[in-house]
Amino acid sequence: MEKIINVVMRAILGTIAMYFINTALARAGISLGVGINTFTVLTSGILGFPGLLALYGVGIYRSL
C-alpha cells in the first residue's frame, strides 16, 4: 500500500511540476510540446524526477 501511495504522490507532484514548467517555457516563448496526459503522468509517477527529466529530454530531442 505504501508503494501505491508513493507512486500516486509522485504522479501528482510530477503533474504540478509539468504544469509550472510548461507555463514558464510558454512565457519564455519556448514550445516544447510536453503535454499532460495519462502517459506523462504515469511516467512521472513511476520514475519520479528522472522520468520528468526524460520527458523533457524527449521533447528537446523531438524539437531538433
Side-chain angles (χ1 to χ4, degrees), residues 15-34:
T15 303
I16 293 169
M18 280 187 276
Y19 173 77
F20 285 116
I21 292 170
N22 287 341
T23 303
L25 289 174
R27 286 186 182 182
I30 301 169
S31 176
L32 203 51
V34 176

Side-chain angles (χ1 to χ4, degrees), residues 5-64:
I5 293 172
N6 191 4
V7 168
V8 170
M9 290 302 295
R10 283 190 290 191
I12 291 169
L13 291 175
T15 303
I16 293 169
M18 280 187 276
Y19 173 77
F20 285 116
I21 292 170
N22 287 341
T23 303
L25 289 174
R27 286 186 182 182
I30 301 169
S31 176
L32 203 51
V34 176
I36 298 175
N37 54 41
T38 306
F39 176 74
T40 58
V41 170
L42 285 175
T43 301
S44 69
I46 293 170
L47 298 176
F49 185 70
L52 195 62
L53 289 177
L55 289 171
Y56 281 97
V58 169
I60 291 171
Y61 180 75
R62 270 187 17 190
S63 69
L64 294 178

